[in-house]
Structures are given as C-alpha cells and as structure tokens.
C-alpha cells in the first residue's frame, strides 16, 4: 500500500477555475481527494507551498532539446537528462520532435527515440508520450532552418518507412498540406493513428 501524501498550496488550477487554499491528497500517481484548508482540519501536510499554484503538468508537443541534449542524437542517458529537466520545469509529458535530416540520420533517431520510449523510467521524470516528426514533408519555399536538400515529397510509402523505424510511436506529423501527395499522406497518417499539423 502506498502512503498518502498531502500537498497544500495557495491555489489549484481546475477546469472550472482557481480553488483557493487547496489540499491535494495523492496515493502514488493518483489524486484521491481535493479539499481546502477551510473545509477540514489537517493534522499533517507532506508539502506546503503557500505562494504557489498547483496545475496539471504541461504537455510539450514540439520539443527538440534542453540542457545541451538534442533529441535527434541523444543517448539513453541524454534522454533521461532531458526528462529530468522537463519534469523540473513542470512538463509531465512531451513528444521528442525530429528536424529534417538525411534519411539515415532520421531513421536512426526514430529508432533511438522508440528505444527510450519503450524502456524509460517514469518516476520523477517527464514521460515521452510518442514522437513528433517535423519534416521531411515540408515546403522548399518555407522550410526555415530545415535543410532543403533533405526534404522529401510526401507519400504514404515514405511515411511507412518512418513509422516502421519508430515502431509505431509517431503521434504527430508536421506537413505542408499544399505539397503534391500531402493529402493522401495525411489520410494514411490518420489511418495509422498519427495526427497531422499544418506547418512550413
């Protein structure tokens, strides 16, 4: 049995607004009760943050790196360093996000991201909830910092190569919808559980 922990703060952000003087009772990752200082006598608080607001953890859906670590090249230890830093910043989940690169580099990065997602410890760290591919299906005219020489024409077959390397962990794809083949690729992405975002 996991011992309950009680956390108090100045405010709690809820879907219906701010709750003043909250006390949140947790058992492991589960919220067991939300009360207030005025609603009950509290004999014991494990944590008291009188000037803080408790919120749900943030979900960063477009994340390239932190603390000197780049998700395209991070080792398992590098990913853990990323996850620790994000947790300290209030990010509870994130999508490591590729940048357009050579096919070999992209496939290798997707495999390493999948390895981390499948083996990562969750306690005290931000959780990698899937992968976001930013590119290679971007416009040459609006590619920004993405190397134009590595951009690809969208196609379901090319997306399948990325999907297989990720072992099914791609959750989001940034794609320029005006490109030839983009709409067919978006339809295929939807069929395998990838959401599409217009970009570049």
């Amino acid at each position: 049995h996991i011992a309950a922990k009680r956390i108090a703060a100045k405010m709690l952000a809820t879907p219906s607004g701010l709750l003043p003087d909250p006390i949140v009772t947790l058992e492991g990752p589960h919220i067991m009760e939300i009360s207030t200082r005025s609603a009950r006598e509290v004999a014991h608080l494990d944590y008291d943050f009188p000037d803080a607001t408790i919120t749900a953890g943030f979900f960063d859906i477009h994340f390239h790196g932190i603390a000197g670590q780049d998700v395209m090249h991070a080792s398992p230890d590098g990913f853990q360093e990323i996850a620790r830093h994000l947790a300290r910043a209030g990010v509870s989940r994130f999508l490591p996000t590729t940048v357009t690169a050579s096919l070999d580099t992209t496939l290798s990065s997707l495999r390493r991201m999948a390895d981390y997602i499948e083996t990562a410890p969750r306690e005290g760290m931000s959780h990698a909830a899937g992968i976001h591919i930013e590119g290679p299906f971007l416009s040459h005219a609006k590619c920004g910092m993405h190397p134009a020489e590595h951009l690809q024409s969208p196609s379901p077959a090319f997306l399948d190569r990325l999907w297989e390397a990720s072992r099914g962990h791609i959750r989001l794809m940034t794609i320029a919808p005006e490109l030839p083949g983009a709409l067919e690729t978006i339809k295929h992405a939807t069929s395998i559980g990838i959401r599409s975002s217009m970009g570049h």
Side-chain angles (χ1 to χ4, degrees), residues 49-109:
F49 303 104
D51 299 318
T53 298
I54 298 173
T55 70
F58 295 109
F59 185 2
D60 193 335
I61 64 169
H62 188 149
F63 178 82
H64 294 296
I66 195 171
Q69 300 292 334
D70 177 341
V71 299
M72 289 291 288
H73 306 288
S75 67
D77 288 344
F79 273 112
Q80 289 195 31
E81 185 72 7
I82 286 168
R84 279 191 289 272
H85 271 78
L86 288 176
R88 285 196 290 269
V91 176
S92 58
R93 297 187 301 157
F94 70 105
L95 297 180
T97 304
T98 64
V99 294
T100 304
S102 71
L103 179 59
D104 287 346
T105 297
T106 300
L107 296 177
S108 175
S109 296

Side-chain angles (χ1 to χ4, degrees), residues 94-162:
F94 70 105
L95 297 180
T97 304
T98 64
V99 294
T100 304
S102 71
L103 179 59
D104 287 346
T105 297
T106 300
L107 296 177
S108 175
S109 296
L110 291 171
R111 289 184 196 107
R112 271 186 288 99
M113 290 177 195
D115 289 343
Y116 179 70
I117 289 167
E118 292 169 2
T119 61
R122 296 203 184 181
E123 196 67 31
M125 295 191 191
S126 185
H127 168 61
I131 298 167
H132 174 179
I133 54 171
E134 186 183 18
F137 307 136
L138 307 178
S139 164
H140 279 80
K142 298 177 182 178
C143 60
M145 55 79 63
H146 293 262
E149 67 271 21
H150 296 309
L151 297 176
Q152 298 288 333
S153 297
S155 73
F158 198 97
L159 178 58
D160 280 342
R161 292 187 72 182
L162 304 179

